[in-house]
Coordinates of all heavy atoms in Angstrom, one line a residue:
P85 N 111.8 74.2 80.7 CA 111.3 73.4 79.5 C 112.3 72.3 79.3 O 113.5 72.4 79.6 CB 111.3 74.4 78.3 CG 112.3 75.4 78.7 CD 112.3 75.5 80.2
K93 N 112.3 70.0 68.5 CA 111.6 70.9 67.5 C 112.5 71.1 66.3 O 112.0 71.1 65.2 CB 111.3 72.2 68.2 CG 110.1 72.2 69.1 CD 109.8 73.6 69.7 CE 109.0 73.4 70.9 NZ 109.1 74.5 71.9
L107 N 111.3 58.1 71.5 CA 110.0 57.4 71.3 C 110.2 55.9 70.9 O 111.2 55.6 70.1 CB 109.3 58.0 70.1 CG 109.1 59.6 70.1 CD1 108.4 60.0 68.9 CD2 108.4 60.0 71.4
P108 N 109.3 55.0 71.3 CA 109.4 53.6 70.9 C 109.0 53.6 69.4 O 108.4 54.5 68.9 CB 108.3 52.9 71.7 CG 107.9 53.8 72.7 CD 108.2 55.2 72.3
T112 N 105.8 48.7 66.5 CA 105.6 47.7 67.6 C 104.2 47.9 68.2 O 103.9 47.1 69.1 CB 106.7 47.8 68.7 OG1 106.5 49.1 69.3 CG2 108.1 47.8 68.1
D116 N 95.9 46.1 66.2 CA 94.7 45.2 66.0 C 94.3 44.7 67.4 O 93.1 44.6 67.7 CB 95.1 44.0 65.1 CG 95.3 44.5 63.7 OD1 94.7 45.6 63.3 OD2 95.9 43.8 62.9
E120 N 90.5 45.3 69.0 CA 89.6 44.2 69.4 C 89.3 44.2 70.9 O 88.1 44.0 71.3 CB 90.2 42.8 69.0 CG 90.2 42.6 67.5 CD 91.3 41.5 67.1 OE1 91.7 40.7 67.9 OE2 91.6 41.6 65.9
V125 N 85.7 45.5 75.5 CA 85.5 46.3 76.7 C 84.2 47.1 76.6 O 83.4 47.1 77.5 CB 86.7 47.1 77.1 CG1 86.4 48.2 78.1 CG2 87.9 46.3 77.5
Y136 N 84.0 56.9 86.7 CA 85.1 57.1 87.6 C 85.4 55.7 88.3 O 84.5 54.9 88.4 CB 84.6 58.0 88.8 CG 84.6 59.5 88.4 CD1 83.5 60.2 88.5 CD2 85.8 60.1 88.0 CE1 83.5 61.6 88.2 CE2 85.8 61.5 87.7 CZ 84.6 62.2 87.8 OH 84.6 63.6 87.5
A138 N 88.4 53.4 91.1 CA 89.2 53.4 92.3 C 90.6 54.0 92.0 O 91.1 53.8 90.9 CB 89.4 52.0 92.8
L145 N 94.3 44.4 86.4 CA 95.6 44.9 86.0 C 96.6 44.9 87.1 O 97.8 44.5 86.9 CB 95.4 46.3 85.4 CG 96.6 46.9 84.6 CD1 96.9 46.0 83.4 CD2 96.2 48.3 84.1
P162 N 99.1 42.4 95.0 CA 98.4 43.4 94.2 C 98.1 44.7 95.0 O 98.0 45.8 94.4 CB 97.2 42.7 93.7 CG 97.5 41.2 93.7 CD 98.4 41.1 94.9
D163 N 97.9 44.5 96.3 CA 97.6 45.7 97.1 C 98.8 46.7 97.2 O 98.6 47.8 97.6 CB 97.4 45.3 98.6 CG 96.2 44.4 98.8 OD1 95.4 44.4 97.8 OD2 96.1 43.8 99.8
R188 N 118.5 66.3 100.3 CA 119.4 65.7 99.4 C 118.8 64.5 98.7 O 118.2 63.6 99.4 CB 120.8 65.3 100.1 CG 121.6 66.6 100.4 CD 122.8 66.2 101.2 NE 123.8 65.5 100.5 CZ 124.1 64.2 100.6 NH1 123.5 63.5 101.5 NH2 125.1 63.7 99.9
G230 N 125.2 60.4 103.5 CA 125.0 61.4 104.5 C 124.4 60.9 105.7 O 123.9 59.8 105.8
K235 N 120.9 63.4 105.5 CA 120.9 62.1 104.9 C 120.0 62.1 103.6 O 118.9 62.7 103.6 CB 120.3 61.1 105.9 CG 120.3 59.7 105.3 CD 120.0 58.7 106.4 CE 119.8 57.3 105.7 NZ 119.3 56.3 106.6
F238 N 116.6 59.5 99.1 CA 116.6 58.2 98.3 C 117.7 58.3 97.3 O 118.3 59.4 97.0 CB 115.2 58.0 97.6 CG 114.8 59.1 96.7 CD1 115.3 59.3 95.4 CD2 113.7 60.0 97.1 CE1 114.9 60.2 94.6 CE2 113.3 61.0 96.2 CZ 113.9 61.1 95.0
Q263 N 123.4 46.3 99.1 CA 124.0 46.2 100.4 C 124.2 47.6 101.0 O 123.9 47.8 102.2 CB 125.4 45.5 100.2 CG 126.1 45.1 101.5 CD 125.3 44.2 102.4 OE1 124.3 43.6 101.9 NE2 125.7 44.1 103.7
I266 N 120.8 48.8 102.2 CA 120.3 48.1 103.3 C 121.0 48.6 104.6 O 120.4 49.0 105.6 CB 120.4 46.6 103.1 CG1 119.4 46.2 102.1 CG2 120.1 45.9 104.5 CD1 119.6 44.8 101.5
P271 N 116.6 54.6 101.0 CA 115.6 54.1 100.1 C 116.0 54.1 98.7 O 116.8 55.0 98.3 CB 114.4 55.0 100.3 CG 114.6 55.7 101.6 CD 116.1 55.7 101.8
P296 N 113.2 44.8 99.5 CA 111.8 45.1 99.3 C 111.2 46.1 100.2 O 110.3 46.9 99.8 CB 111.1 43.7 99.5 CG 112.1 42.8 100.0 CD 113.5 43.4 99.8
L302 N 109.2 51.4 89.8 CA 108.3 52.0 88.8 C 108.4 51.2 87.5 O 109.5 50.8 87.0 CB 108.8 53.4 88.5 CG 109.0 54.4 89.6 CD1 109.7 55.6 89.2 CD2 107.7 54.7 90.2
P321 N 106.3 49.6 99.3 CA 106.0 48.8 100.5 C 104.7 49.3 101.2 O 104.3 50.4 101.0 CB 107.3 49.2 101.4 CG 108.2 49.9 100.5 CD 107.5 50.4 99.3
K352 N 95.5 39.6 78.8 CA 95.1 38.2 79.3 C 95.5 37.2 78.2 O 95.7 37.5 77.1 CB 93.6 38.2 79.7 CG 92.7 38.3 78.6 CD 91.3 38.2 79.2 CE 90.3 37.9 78.1 NZ 88.9 38.3 78.5
L412 N 125.9 69.4 67.1 CA 124.5 69.2 66.7 C 124.1 70.1 65.5 O 123.4 69.7 64.6 CB 123.5 69.4 67.9 CG 122.1 69.2 67.5 CD1 121.8 67.7 67.1 CD2 121.2 69.5 68.8
E432 N 127.7 68.9 87.4 CA 128.5 69.3 86.3 C 128.2 68.3 85.1 O 128.3 67.1 85.3 CB 130.0 69.3 86.5 CG 130.5 70.1 87.7 CD 130.6 69.2 88.9 OE1 129.6 69.0 89.6 OE2 131.7 68.7 89.1
A455 N 126.7 58.1 58.4 CA 127.7 58.6 57.5 C 127.7 60.2 57.6 O 128.7 60.8 57.6 CB 127.4 58.2 56.1

Side-chain angles (χ1 to χ4, degrees):
K93 281 186 203 152
L107 312 180
T112 67
D116 290 340
E120 286 159 22
V125 165
Y136 283 121
L145 192 57
D163 295 345
R188 286 173 72 252
K235 183 168 171 187
F238 59 76
Q263 185 62 16
I266 291 166
L302 305 171
K352 69 182 196 200
L412 180 62
E432 305 97 273

